[in-house]
Amino acid sequence: MKRPRLRKASKRLSCHKRYKIQKKIREHHRKVRREAKKRGRKKPKKDPSVPGAAPFKEALLREAEQRRQRLEELQQKQKLDRQKELEKRRKLDAKKNAAKIEDQTEGTEPSKSEANTKEVLHKKSKKSLHSELEKVIEASDVILEVLDARDPMGCRCPQLEQAITCSGRDKKLVLVLNKIDLVPKENLEKWLNCLKKEFPTVAFKSSTLMTDRTMREHFSRKRARIDLSRNTECFGSECLLKLLQEHCRTQDKAIQVGLVGFPNVGKSSIINSIKKNRVCNAGLGRGLTKCMQVVRIDKKMKMLDSPSIVADRANSTLTLALRSIIDGGGSGSIDVVEAVDAVLNHCSKQQVMMSYSIPDFRNTEEFLTLLAQKRGMLKKGGVPDIENIAKLLLCDWTGARISYHSQPPGSQMLPPYLTEDKIAEMQKGFNLKKLEEENNATVQALKYPSPASSIVFQSAGMTNGKIEENKVVGEASQWESLETSEEEEEDDFMETDDQDSMEEEEEEEEEEKDVKEESKIGMTRKADLGKQQARQATSENKLAESGCDSSLSLSLDKSADEDDAYDFNTDYV
């Protein structure tokens, strides 16, 4: 049976409706013509071309073409002049705005005292970071020095390691190699073999997408399909926990574990990964942790999160670019463009161009200009924002965006503060064979970037940090020397007492001699002496009431000097 065809709707109209539509169209055209006549617009007349029979037709056409070219040149010139005037006006407006801002800042500019107070506050903030870091070191039984796997040698602080190894207490130092997923596998294995010769070393990869329990998850069905295992999974946490728990059993007491390191190495992220919850504030910014934070892991273990180590200003520009806390201005801040220049000078130019997908560049400013144009970081008028793009690039290098790696030293030389006895002492109490097996399992479980896609980086060596001495180093020796110092102080005090008593006796004898000599002089001298003796008596009574023997000796010296001067004058007269 055939399917019946569906009949389409007919487009035929009734005559009444069709005539009505035509009438409305005619009225609309009439209205348009009427309005055009009122406005006075006429159709452009056609250009009457030169007739073919006209004499000198080619010359006329040539003249017309030249006239048209001159008009186009004139219009182009006028356009360029207008653009130049606009640029001049824009520059003048910018200068006026800058002058107004300067006037306002001069009106509200802080005085020298305020500037000094700001500097003092800046110094105090650094001192507070030092004091908090020292609190963590003093309170910890095991100290984890967190290193960035891309530049482990640049993340080590010799002052910190020396302070811990030479403290005289039973403190252990363990190296944690974080961000291992950003370096090639072969490079990671070389660094693990190099570092385990000095201290116990743990390979770690912290989870970065860690949310708080109080925050609700807003993942839709489409977003739930995306594989976030690279950021949410953590590797090496079980190995680190087993190592610390075994040490806790050998010590047979509850221990405190402190995490120390330079900015953006992942101290807070390690605690969050072990706790499997966002208990510490972590992010791309440098120096987010300002004070010590205690996090309980289990009944016998606590972890202490510490502020970052402050890098010394005597370090190289490259070291300060990657390891210092970049402030927003001030004497302690570094020039971000110079910092980017130092970073680029220690890398391969071709690899940087491939990783950022940027064409060839001649210098750092051109590189930053191209990068700002690519990422759309432009100021008013399309000017590239070089300062902010430089900060963003440094954030990429300290964060987890760029994959680069440095080679371990060929001939490994131990630092002067590390000896074989110190290394054996630091490794005592840890099961190193089991640690090596766990590290191998962690290394095999991860995915790594290929050596071709990772940038080869030339490390600047260890970074010197600011750690106050006489507080962490040699505390045991200070406690031992307390008794000897107290005995020396007592001996010195007895000697000073004997000397004071001898001086007092000599002064009394001199006074008696002076009084006998003065009695032989006239009445005027006696009257003066009476006044002076009365003053001396009142001063001696006051000093006796206060009980200050040293002040008494000083007053007697002064009175004796005055008497000698007066006697000399009277004898001369």
Side-chain angles (χ1 to χ4, degrees):
M1 184 178 176
K2 288 186 179 181
R3 187 177 179 182
R5 292 183 179 179
L6 296 174
R7 299 182 68 180
K8 295 181 181 179
S10 177
K11 294 183 181 180
R12 296 174 67 184
L13 299 173
S14 62
C15 294
H16 174 70
K17 201 168 185 179
R18 187 168 65 249
Y19 294 149
K20 189 176 180 182
I21 291 169
Q22 291 174 0
K23 186 180 178 182
K24 286 196 172 187
I25 290 169
R26 285 195 301 272
E27 287 177 358
H28 174 71
H29 290 321
R30 198 181 300 120
K31 186 178 179 182
V32 170
R33 286 195 300 272
R34 197 183 303 121
E35 288 177 357
K37 193 180 282 185
K38 285 180 183 178
R39 287 196 301 269
R41 286 187 63 184
K42 294 181 181 180
K43 291 181 180 179
K45 292 181 179 180
K46 291 183 179 179
D47 186 17
S49 58
V50 180
F56 312 111
K57 180 181 178 180
E58 293 180 358
L60 291 172
L61 290 172
R62 200 180 300 113
E63 287 178 3
E65 184 67 23
Q66 290 175 359
R67 198 181 304 115
R68 188 179 62 79
Q69 288 179 359
R70 283 197 296 269
L71 284 172
E72 287 180 356
E73 289 175 0
L74 183 63
Q75 289 175 0
Q76 191 71 19
K77 188 177 179 182
Q78 288 175 355
K79 187 178 179 181
L80 291 172
D81 292 339
R82 284 195 299 270
Q83 287 180 355
K84 287 180 181 179
E85 287 179 2
L86 286 172
E87 287 179 1
K88 286 181 181 179
R89 288 178 186 174
R90 196 177 292 164
K91 287 179 181 178
L92 287 172
D93 293 338
K95 286 181 180 179
K96 287 179 182 178
N97 292 331
K100 286 181 182 178
I101 292 167
E102 285 180 2
D103 294 338
Q104 291 176 0
T105 52
E106 284 177 2
T108 60
E109 189 175 338
S111 60
K112 289 183 179 180
S113 61
E114 291 178 359
N116 292 333
T117 53
K118 283 185 179 180
E119 289 181 0
V120 169
L121 287 172
H122 183 68
K123 290 179 181 177
K124 282 184 178 179
S125 65
K126 286 192 174 182
K127 284 184 178 179
S128 66
L129 293 177
H130 293 318
S131 62
E132 292 294 323
L133 182 62
E134 286 165 5
K135 283 181 187 176
V136 172
I137 295 171
E138 289 175 7
S140 302
D141 300 308
V142 179
I143 296 162
L144 305 180
E145 188 178 7
V146 186
L147 311 177
D148 193 336
R150 297 171 292 182
D151 184 17
M153 196 59 69
C155 296
R156 291 182 65 178
C157 180
Q159 289 80 13
L160 174 73
E161 294 178 2
Q162 185 177 4
I164 296 166
T165 54
C166 303
S167 61
R169 299 183 180 183
D170 191 15
K171 290 183 183 290
K172 302 293 183 183
L173 180 64
V174 178
L175 303 180
V176 179
L177 207 59
N178 196 16
K179 302 181 185 180
I180 59 174
D181 59 324
L182 299 176
V183 296
K185 185 178 178 180
E186 297 80 7
N187 184 260
L188 175 62
E189 291 173 349
K190 287 179 184 178
W191 274 112
L192 286 173
N193 293 329
C194 176
L195 295 174
K196 73 181 182 181
K197 295 176 183 177
E198 298 181 14
F199 298 103
T201 308
V202 180
F204 200 92
K205 188 262 169 188
S206 58
S207 56
T208 54
L209 293 178
M210 187 70 68
T211 57
D212 193 0
R213 286 178 181 175
T214 58
M215 295 172 64
R216 294 180 180 178
E217 294 183 356
H218 297 283
F219 292 110
S220 63
R221 291 182 179 178
K222 292 182 179 179
R223 289 188 66 187
R225 294 175 188 171
I226 300 171
D227 184 18
L228 299 176
S229 61
R230 188 176 182 275
N231 295 323
T232 54
E233 287 186 8
C234 170
F235 295 90
S237 59
E238 294 180 0
C239 172
L240 184 60
L241 277 175
K242 286 178 182 177
L243 186 74
L244 296 174
Q245 287 169 357
E246 286 180 2
H247 181 71
C248 185
R249 290 192 205 99
T250 56
Q251 295 291 322
D252 197 15
K253 65 174 184 178
I255 62 170
Q256 291 185 341
V257 183
L259 282 90
V260 296
F262 285 99
N264 274 93
V265 292
K267 301 181 291 294
S268 303
S269 298
I270 288 173
I271 296 177
N272 292 338
S273 302
I274 292 173
K275 195 69 178 174
K276 295 181 181 179
N277 187 21
R278 191 182 175 90
V279 292
C280 298
N281 189 17
L284 290 174
R286 302 190 188 186
L288 290 177
T289 306
K290 303 291 184 185
C291 59
M292 182 176 71
Q293 186 176 354
V294 182
V295 179
R296 182 176 288 278
I297 304 299
D298 53 23
K299 292 181 180 179
K300 290 190 175 183
M301 192 191 305
K302 292 180 183 177
M303 279 198 169
L304 310 180
D305 191 11
S306 69
S308 303
I309 303 171
V310 180
D312 193 0
R313 300 297 302 171
N315 289 308
S316 62
T317 309
L318 175 66
T319 305
L320 294 175
L322 298 176
R323 305 288 163 240
S324 68
I325 301 172
I326 297 180
D327 303 321
S331 60
S333 63
I334 60 173
D335 188 5
V336 288
V337 180
E338 290 183 2
V340 172
D341 188 24
V343 171
L344 294 178
N345 288 334
H346 285 74
C347 302
S348 174
K349 184 179 179 181
Q350 300 296 329
Q351 289 180 333
V352 171
M353 287 163 56
M354 288 176 64
S355 62
Y356 282 100
S357 301
I358 282 177
D360 193 9
F361 55 90
R362 289 171 292 180
N363 50 24
T364 306
E365 291 184 0
E366 188 177 353
F367 170 76
L368 293 174
T369 303
L370 293 170
L371 189 60
Q373 289 173 354
K374 185 185 175 184
R375 295 194 178 180
M377 296 190 71
L378 305 173
K379 293 181 181 178
K380 190 175 180 181
V383 180
D385 193 355
I386 291 178
E387 187 175 353
N388 284 330
I389 197 67
K391 289 180 181 178
L392 187 64
L393 186 135
L394 291 177
C395 244
D396 292 347
W397 280 75
T398 54
R401 184 167 183 142
I402 297 296
S403 173
Y404 64 92
H405 65 278
S406 60
Q407 296 295 335
S411 58
Q412 188 175 4
M413 295 290 292
L414 292 176
Y417 54 85
L418 268 184
T419 58
E420 292 182 358
D421 297 336
K422 292 285 183 184
I423 293 171
E425 185 182 349
M426 288 293 138
Q427 293 177 351
K428 186 179 178 181
F430 296 111
N431 191 349
L432 299 179
K433 290 184 179 179
K434 196 171 183 180
L435 174 62
E436 189 174 356
E437 292 175 0
E438 294 284 344
N439 282 336
N440 291 332
T442 304
V443 169
Q444 296 298 328
L446 260 173
K447 291 181 180 180
Y448 301 94
S450 62
S453 62
S454 181
I455 301 172
V456 179
F457 179 74
Q458 296 177 4
S459 178
M462 289 189 180
T463 303
N464 294 322
K466 290 184 179 179
I467 295 178
E468 294 182 7
E469 298 179 356
N470 302 326
K471 287 188 177 181
V472 181
V473 182
E475 286 184 355
S477 59
Q478 288 179 4
W479 287 105
E480 289 175 359
S481 62
L482 275 176
E483 296 179 357
T484 56
S485 61
E486 287 176 359
E487 291 176 358
E488 290 176 358
E489 286 178 359
E490 289 177 359
D491 295 337
D492 294 338
F493 183 72
M494 293 294 292
E495 290 176 359
T496 50
D497 288 342
D498 296 337
Q499 290 177 0
D500 291 337
S501 60
M502 293 290 289
E503 288 176 358
E504 287 175 2
E505 291 176 359
E506 291 177 357
E507 287 169 359
E508 288 175 359
E509 291 177 359
E510 289 178 357
E511 283 179 359
E512 290 177 359
K513 290 178 181 178
D514 292 337
V515 170
K516 289 179 181 179
E517 290 177 357
E518 287 169 1
S519 62
K520 297 177 183 179
I521 307 173
M523 294 297 293
T524 56
R525 171 66 181 144
K526 287 181 180 179
D528 294 333
L529 278 171
K531 291 178 182 178
Q532 287 179 0
Q533 286 174 358
R535 291 174 186 170
Q536 290 172 8
T538 55
S539 64
E540 286 174 1
N541 290 329
K542 290 178 182 178
L543 292 167
E545 290 173 0
S546 62
C548 298
D549 295 335
S550 60
S551 60
L552 179 61
S553 62
L554 289 170
S555 64
L556 289 172
D557 290 337
K558 289 180 181 178
S559 62
D561 293 338
E562 288 175 0
D563 292 338
D564 293 339
Y566 188 81
D567 288 339
F568 176 77
N569 292 330
T570 52
D571 293 341
Y572 179 77
V573 171

